[in-house]
């Protein structure tokens, strides 16, 4: 392999794996809050009702 190709491969690997590690660290430091006081009870009830119904399908 050419030196340019090796450098580009290293840059791509650092970007991909570095982005993955950065995303994991961000999500671990700021987890998503579920069931907080800001949720609308009507929307939560609608979601629960929709989740208990079978998935609609089309016959086309």
């Amino acid at each position: 392999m050419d030196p340019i190709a090796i450098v580009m491969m290293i840059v791509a690997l650092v970007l991909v794996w570095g982005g993955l590690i950065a995303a994991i660290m961000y999500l671990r430091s700021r987890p998503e809050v579920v069931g907080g006081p800001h949720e609308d009870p009507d929307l939560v009830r609608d979601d629960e009702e929709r989740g208990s119904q079978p998935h609609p399908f089309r016959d086309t």
Side-chain angles (χ1 to χ4, degrees):
M1 288 177 73
D2 293 332
I4 291 290
I6 293 172
V7 169
M8 290 304 294
M9 182 181 67
I10 292 171
V11 168
L13 288 173
V14 167
L15 282 174
V16 170
W17 289 104
L20 177 66
I21 291 169
I24 290 171
M25 289 172 44
Y26 177 80
L27 289 174
R28 289 190 76 177
S29 67
R30 295 173 185 84
E32 183 176 343
V33 178
V34 177
H38 59 280
E39 291 186 4
D40 187 11
D42 294 332
L43 294 176
V44 172
R45 183 176 29 85
D46 290 344
D47 288 342
E48 290 171 354
E49 289 175 4
R50 194 175 305 115
S52 65
Q53 296 174 354
H55 187 358
F57 63 93
R58 289 197 262 172
D59 192 26
T60 58

